[in-house]
Amino acid sequence: MLYYPNLRTVASVAGFHASRAPGTTAIICSGRPVTYAQLHRESNRVAHAISAAGLPPGSRVAYLGKESEHYYEILFGAAKSGTVLVPVNWRLTAGEVDYVLRDSGSRLLFAEHVFAKTAAKVQADLPELDTIVELDPPRESDGGYAAWKADQPDGDLAPGTGPDDPIVQLYTSGTTGLPKGVVLAQRSFFAIRDALAGEGLDWVDWRTGDRSLIAVPGFHVGGLWWAMQGFSAGITNVAMPSFDSTVALRLIRDLGITTTCMVPSMLRLLLAEPGVRSADFTTMRKIVYGGSPMAETLLKEAIDVCGASFAQFYGLTETGNTAVCLPPADHIPGSPRLRAAGRPYPGVQVKIIDVDGSPLPPGDIGEICLHTPARMLEYWRNPAATARTLADGWIHTGDAGYLDADGYVYISDRIKDMIIVAGEKIYPAEIENALAKHPAVAEAAVVGIPDSRFGEAVCAFVARRPGHQAGPGELMVFLKDSLAAFKIPSRFEFVDQVPRNPSGKILRRQLRDQFWRDRDRQVN
């Protein structure tokens, strides 16, 4: 296992590997390879340019663009200058981008040309945003990123930051309100790595010759954390500007990808590619997945086709990404353990609490709380929300679940997504997983809708597989063998696809709001 314990900060990574193996390719994006020596040199120039722009340590530096080698140059450059990177979801509207930049107080924004109009539109009303650097102007004479850093020295800087200092500020998806800026420290990207190495566990491991596919976008903690694990190990990372299953399959096959991290919806698209076959994955040794539950039928198909080891992780942006893992040894077909999120990493603690905050015994469903050395520092400029989520070192996840007698964590659903039908508590994920076992169902999302008799009723949004026409009656009969009668949806809506955010999480609020928007309360 490749492990370099002396790497404790993001700022130290590129320079260490530039000295150790300068000619090793650090990243490939759209066919452009960058060695560790080049990554170190160019990120040094970025750091000097940030400092020359008058941004002191702790200043926020934003990035609005898709995945590229520039993103990681800027990440390491920000680390070397002591500033904090704010990756902005490029799928956001101008108003949403404005909110993130305004809330973060970003003074410098790197933006791709395709997003330049959005950047210019928001800058006019943001007095703190001093400078916009266009990453890829259409004409070289227009200046842009290359010109902005060209005259800067490429020597090392000493940022004066340590493991407990902030390095990135990631914004939550905002599915339940305004996004919050989660401030993560340098240690968030090294603590779990250290814990695994200390115990000799290979749940997430790196080997000489590994090539890692970065499939999850870098504005999401899963994508950024995964990329940093690869860089810390000194292996070659392959990034796509955005996820495309056709391109991903080609890269896996042509570049000899050995490991990747994906959300289940990405795996579903990958396995649905025309002509996909096991021979496409001959170099793949491990696939890590997370972000949302994976149906057992999809997992079985992935294991059969890909022939790799699988590991599932569970965590939040607030926990610094992964805190719980279902390791490869527990991925046994037919095992009840496949319904678990996994067990805590070494050094991570889990407890389940009731509404009063009292711990619950194994088997009882309550809120999942996590204590991890990778946890966030705070929600930026939001002490009240920080106090609610981070209490005495414990992250209150908002997820409902339980522990079994062996300490494995099982997730029932988001507490806020719980449906109450005539006093009975129902968790949508259980119904969605049951529906996914029907051969006609590609994916499903379940929400609670108003019901005059029982308070709420269960409504399922179903995307059918091509060529299948299963209707409500057939699906209701199918569910009778696996669900109690009160859990079976009384209403079905058939859709082309289930809406998800960039992290792969179902946008239940979007589905639910159409039924509740004219009511005084969002419960019944």
Side-chain angles (χ1 to χ4, degrees):
M1 179 176 175
L2 295 174
Y3 172 57
Y4 301 99
N6 55 310
L7 295 179
R8 315 299 303 171
T9 65
V10 174
S12 64
V13 169
F16 173 79
H17 290 299
S19 298
R20 185 188 65 83
T24 297
T25 300
I27 187 167
I28 302 171
C29 187
S30 299
R32 300 182 301 271
V34 176
T35 66
Y36 276 98
Q38 291 170 320
L39 180 62
H40 179 49
R41 184 172 63 248
E42 295 308 310
S43 59
N44 278 351
R45 288 196 171 106
V46 171
H48 281 289
I50 290 174
S51 298
L55 275 68
S59 299
R60 267 50 182 174
V61 173
Y63 180 94
L64 177 61
K66 298 183 180 181
E67 296 291 295
S68 73
E69 65 275 24
H70 302 321
Y71 175 65
Y72 296 101
E73 289 174 4
I74 292 166
L75 168 66
F76 288 113
K80 291 173 179 181
S81 67
T83 55
V84 179
L85 182 65
V86 181
V88 183
N89 182 343
W90 52 266
R91 296 184 178 95
L92 299 180
T93 64
E96 292 168 322
V97 171
D98 178 283
Y99 175 82
V100 171
L101 296 176
R102 186 183 303 276
D103 184 74
S104 64
S106 294
R107 294 183 53 188
L108 172 62
L109 171 65
F110 298 94
E112 286 188 346
H113 178 70
V114 69
F115 306 115
K117 288 184 179 179
T118 297
K121 183 176 180 181
V122 300
Q123 184 186 28
D125 195 38
L126 291 174
E128 286 187 288
L129 184 58
D130 300 324
T131 307
I132 295 178
V133 177
E134 194 167 317
L135 291 168
D136 54 344
R139 296 180 302 274
E140 191 172 313
S141 59
D142 292 340
Y145 175 68
W148 175 80
K149 62 173 180 167
D151 295 332
Q152 297 297 327
D154 60 8
D156 292 349
L157 285 81
T161 54
D164 292 322
D165 289 307
I167 179 62
V168 292
Q169 186 164 311
L170 300 167
Y171 277 77
T172 58
S173 58
T175 56
T176 59
L178 289 173
K180 295 185 285 292
V182 180
V183 183
L184 296 180
Q186 311 257 2
R187 57 176 162 74
S188 294
F189 298 96
F190 301 94
I192 298 302
R193 176 206 65 164
D194 293 344
L196 286 172
E199 295 290 330
L201 298 173
D202 66 349
W203 298 356
V204 179
D205 64 330
W206 305 93
R207 300 177 186 175
T208 301
D210 265 346
R211 287 196 159 197
S212 169
L213 180 65
I214 304 171
V216 180
F219 57 75
H220 180 270
V221 68
L224 183 55
W225 184 88
W226 179 256
M228 276 307 307
Q229 304 315 295
F231 284 121
S232 295
I235 56 95
T236 296
N237 303 275
V238 179
M240 294 177 285
S242 60
F243 182 76
D244 181 302
S245 55
T246 302
V247 174
L249 187 61
R250 175 175 57 79
L251 292 173
I252 289 169
R253 182 182 60 240
D254 295 350
L255 296 184
I257 298 298
T258 62
T259 186
T260 188
C261 176
M262 292 188 177
V263 299
S265 59
M266 291 175 176
L267 277 169
R268 184 185 298 110
L269 290 170
L270 193 66
L271 296 174
E273 277 295 305
V276 67
R277 56 201 178 102
S278 295
D280 295 322
F281 299 92
T282 53
T283 60
M284 187 71 74
R285 68 174 184 86
K286 181 169 288 183
I287 296 175
V288 178
Y289 65 96
S292 64
M294 188 182 321
E296 291 178 44
T297 50
L298 174 60
L299 179 58
K300 183 179 184 304
E301 181 184 1
I303 292 173
D304 291 344
V305 174
C306 300
S309 297
F310 279 74
Q312 175 184 222
F313 66 69
Y314 162 68
L316 315 172
T317 308
E318 290 85 345
T319 62
N321 198 38
T322 177
V324 171
C325 182
L326 188 71
D330 285 319
H331 281 73
I332 302 171
S335 169
R337 284 266 166 82
L338 289 178
R339 294 195 295 272
R343 55 195 177 100
Y345 287 98
V348 175
Q349 296 173 272
V350 179
K351 65 179 179 181
I352 311 296
I353 61 172
D354 62 17
V355 292
D356 297 319
S358 300
L360 291 170
D364 283 8
I365 294 177
E367 184 177 11
I368 300 169
C369 297
L370 299 167
H371 192 285
T372 167
R375 64 186 177 274
M376 71 175 186
L377 293 171
E378 62 176 342
Y379 288 126
W380 177 243
R381 294 175 176 172
N382 198 335
T386 300
R388 287 192 298 269
T389 297
L390 182 56
D392 297 325
W394 289 86
I395 296 289
H396 291 245
T397 67
D399 287 335
Y402 64 94
L403 289 168
D404 68 10
D406 296 319
Y408 281 74
V409 180
Y410 292 77
I411 300 171
S412 302
D413 217 323
R414 292 289 293 171
I415 288 175
K416 63 179 176 56
D417 291 329
M418 183 175 65
I419 303 167
I420 302 179
V421 177
E424 297 283 359
K425 296 179 180 179
I426 300 170
Y427 293 99
E430 180 184 8
I431 304 170
E432 291 161 0
N433 288 335
L435 279 168
K437 295 177 181 178
H438 191 285
V441 176
E443 56 180 346
V446 170
V447 299
I449 63 175
D451 184 86
S452 58
R453 184 178 181 188
F454 298 117
E456 287 185 273
V458 180
C459 177
F461 289 80
V462 175
R464 288 178 286 211
R465 295 184 185 276
H468 291 272
Q469 294 299 320
E474 180 180 337
L475 295 176
M476 292 174 77
V477 171
F478 174 79
L479 292 174
K480 284 183 178 179
D481 291 335
S482 55
L483 296 176
F486 69 87
K487 297 180 181 179
I488 295 175
S490 59
R491 177 168 175 166
F492 287 83
E493 298 282 343
F494 294 95
V495 295
D496 293 333
Q497 62 182 20
V498 170
R500 298 175 183 270
N501 71 9
S503 309
K505 292 182 173 63
I506 295 171
L507 294 173
R508 290 201 184 92
R509 184 181 182 186
Q510 178 178 316
L511 297 172
R512 192 176 186 270
D513 279 356
Q514 61 188 295
F515 298 97
W516 294 89
R517 64 168 58 100
D518 296 327
R519 293 178 171 258
D520 293 334
R521 298 191 304 165
Q522 297 299 295
V523 294
N524 201 30

